[in-house]
Amino acid sequence: MSVRTVLAVTGAVLACGLALAVPAAADPAVQPVAASVYTLSVGRVTSSSAALVGLLGVVNGGLALSRATGRSHLRTWARRNGAVTALAAGLIAVAAGGAVAATADGGLGTGNGLGGACVAVLVGLVALTLGWRARSRRSG
């Protein structure tokens, strides 16, 4: 998966989440104080998407760091582009998770995606670290 694909998918998910948030934000009487377990709020969707993008970055960074031999197309691609993809995905995960954490009303368990945002930031930081290590090892 190329960096362009990761950025396009992430942008589409975030844009759809924001498009769904506009009607909900228009009428404050519709918004519940605490969401139920099965309710998908914009914060939950955005933070879950950011965590998945961060996980994609961790996998790509791990593949870029691995010294496994083989002629697989995945391993060849990961050695060439995995570090850059890990850096891009980690940055997206940290930014989206931080935005959800900064705008979440209430604490954990209120349905605003704060828990997922914390996971997204942590996974994004791991992806950034793996991508940075793979990039510095490759250039050095």
Side-chain angles (χ1 to χ4, degrees):
M1 185 176 286
S2 69
V3 175
R4 289 182 183 172
T5 305
V6 171
L7 294 175
V9 168
T10 304
V13 167
L14 292 176
C16 288
L18 291 176
L20 292 173
V22 171
D27 188 12
V30 177
Q31 297 176 351
V33 174
S36 71
V37 176
Y38 301 109
T39 304
L40 285 178
S41 66
V42 176
R44 283 182 177 175
V45 171
T46 306
S47 62
S48 298
S49 302
L52 289 176
V53 169
L55 185 62
L56 173 76
V58 168
V59 169
N60 281 325
L63 285 174
L65 276 176
S66 70
R67 294 182 184 245
T69 59
R71 296 172 53 109
S72 169
H73 295 292
L74 180 64
R75 292 191 195 277
T76 304
W77 181 89
R79 274 187 248 128
R80 289 183 188 158
N81 304 323
V84 175
T85 305
L87 287 170
L91 186 63
I92 290 169
V94 168
V100 170
T103 59
D105 296 333
L108 290 173
T110 58
N112 294 315
L114 186 59
C118 294
V119 170
V121 169
L122 290 175
V123 172
L125 289 174
V126 170
L128 281 170
T129 303
L130 289 175
W132 176 72
R133 288 199 59 201
R135 187 84 173 152
S136 64
R137 187 171 81 178
R138 182 176 170 211
S139 63

